[in-house]
Amino acid sequence: SWTDHAVLLTVAKVAKRTLILEVMTDNYGRCRAVTTLDGKAAPVLLPGSFMELHCTNDGFGEPLQAKLLDISGGIIASSRNDIGLQVLAAAKDLMVTLLQEEDPAPEIYDVTYDLMTSLVGEDKRWPYHYAALEFAVMCELGLVHGIEVARPAFRQGETIYLSPKTGTVVTREQAGAFLDRMIPMPGMLMGKKNANVAEDRQALELTGIILERFALPKAGADNLMESRVPVLNAFRRVREIPRAQVTEQRPRVDEEARRRRLMSSKPLMVASRSIGGQ
C-alpha cells in the first residue's frame, strides 16, 4: 500500500456506489484506481482536483483500491470554464494513451500540477503549461534527445534546434550543413520561464510535430491530434498571457481544505459534468 499526492484526470461512475479514478500521482505515475462511496455526506469531486490517495492492491491483476484522504480545487463546469475542461480532456488523452500505468514520472506530475493550477485559477497561463506537459511526455518517452547537453549553450545565448527527422536537440554548430532542415527550439521548452504568446505558439507547433511524427506511429493513437483541436482553437483566441509567477515552493494540498474536511471517512459525489472515464 502507498499514499501519494495526485491530480484527478477523470472520474467515472461504474456502479451506484463505485467510481473509477484516473489520476497522475507524484511518485507512482499514472494510475487507475477504484473507490467506493459510503455514508451520507457527499462533497463534489471535480475534474482537475488535487488530492491525496491511499491505495492498496489486493492481488496481481486486480485494480488499485483507493481511499481519498484529502481533496481541493477542481474545474467547475460552466460556459466560462469550457476551455479548462477541453484542455484537461486533451491532457488526459495524452497521458492515458502514451504513459504506462504505475510508471513513475515525477516531472510529468509537476507540469500536470502546474497546468491544473493554472486552469483552476483561470490565470491565462495554461498554453505555456500545456505545451510544457506535451514536451515533458515526449521527453519521458525518449522521443527527444540531447536537451540536457544543449541547455548550457542555450543559457549562453545560442539558438537551439530540433531535428524533425530524429528528434535530436542540437546547437547551430552541431547542425552544420543541415541547419536549414532544423526547427528552432522555443525558449520555454529550454527552460525559459517568461514566454510570450508567440513563443507559446511556437512551442505548441513544435510539440505537435513531435507528437505526429514520433509518438503517434509508435502508439497508433490518431485521436490525440483530434483532442488537440479544441486546445489550439482556444489558444488562437489568446491575445495576451501574463508573466508566469515563479514561487520557491508550492503547497501540494490546500491545507485549509484539509482542515475543513478529511476525506478518509466521507464519500464523494461525481460532478454533474465531470469528464468521462477511459
Side-chain angles (χ1 to χ4, degrees):
S1 66
W2 48 263
T3 300
D4 201 6
H5 301 286
V7 173
L8 178 65
L9 302 177
T10 182
V11 57
K13 182 177 287 187
V14 294
K16 185 176 181 180
R17 309 187 70 81
T18 303
L19 305 178
I20 293 182
L21 312 176
E22 193 82 51
V23 297
M24 188 67 197
T25 69
D26 191 357
N27 296 297
Y28 296 88
R30 179 180 71 83
C31 296
R32 180 174 295 185
V34 176
T35 189
T36 302
L37 307 180
D38 55 17
K40 296 181 179 180
V44 175
L45 180 60
L46 296 171
S49 296
F50 310 118
M51 59 181 64
E52 283 187 325
L53 293 178
H54 178 73
C55 290
T56 57
N57 194 331
D58 294 336
F60 181 77
E62 296 295 321
L64 289 173
Q65 300 294 319
K67 179 182 290 186
L68 276 69
L69 306 179
D70 193 20
I71 181 170
S72 63
I75 301 173
I76 300 173
S78 69
S79 58
R80 65 180 296 186
N81 280 339
D82 279 348
I83 290 177
L85 294 175
Q86 290 167 352
V87 173
L88 176 55
K92 181 266 294 184
D93 287 347
L94 179 75
M95 288 184 275
V96 168
T97 302
L98 297 180
L99 299 179
Q100 296 294 320
E101 286 191 56
E102 299 182 55
D103 185 9
E107 290 187 6
I108 294 179
Y109 173 81
D110 286 341
V111 293
T112 303
Y113 184 102
D114 292 339
L115 174 61
M116 293 308 131
T117 300
S118 179
L119 293 174
V120 171
E122 299 181 46
D123 65 4
K124 298 183 181 179
R125 286 298 308 160
W126 66 264
Y128 175 97
H129 297 300
Y130 183 79
L133 172 61
E134 287 193 329
F135 192 66
V137 171
M138 300 301 101
C139 291
E140 180 70 21
L141 295 175
L143 303 178
V144 178
H145 315 279
I147 189 167
E148 293 302 328
V149 176
R151 273 183 174 143
F154 173 78
R155 288 194 289 266
Q156 294 174 8
E158 289 192 41
T159 301
I160 307 301
Y161 301 86
L162 178 86
S163 167
K165 183 176 181 179
T166 65
T168 304
V169 178
V170 297
T171 62
R172 178 185 292 270
E173 182 179 357
Q174 291 169 331
F178 299 98
L179 182 63
D180 61 336
R181 304 181 188 180
M182 301 294 165
I183 303 172
M185 284 284 292
M188 62 152 292
L189 297 182
M190 297 299 299
K192 180 180 177 182
K193 295 299 182 182
N194 293 320
N196 56 35
V197 173
E199 290 172 318
D200 286 345
R201 181 179 297 108
Q202 292 169 356
L204 285 170
E205 289 173 353
L206 183 61
T207 54
I209 290 171
I210 301 171
L211 190 65
E212 189 167 25
R213 295 191 181 184
F214 302 121
L216 298 194
K218 181 177 180 179
D222 294 336
N223 65 299
L224 289 182
M225 301 310 290
E226 298 175 5
S227 297
R228 291 181 97 239
V229 172
V231 175
L232 298 178
N233 289 341
F235 176 70
R236 293 187 184 102
R237 298 193 293 271
V238 174
R239 293 292 180 265
E240 181 178 356
I241 299 177
R243 288 181 176 271
Q245 298 297 317
V246 181
T247 58
E248 291 294 327
Q249 184 177 7
R250 48 175 165 70
R252 297 286 184 161
V253 175
D254 187 331
E255 293 298 331
E256 182 179 351
R258 182 197 298 276
R259 291 192 298 270
R260 188 169 61 249
R261 61 178 192 272
L262 288 176
M263 303 304 294
S264 58
S265 61
K266 296 182 180 180
L268 299 169
M269 178 183 296
V270 181
S272 58
R273 284 189 58 194
S274 60
I275 297 173
Q278 180 81 2

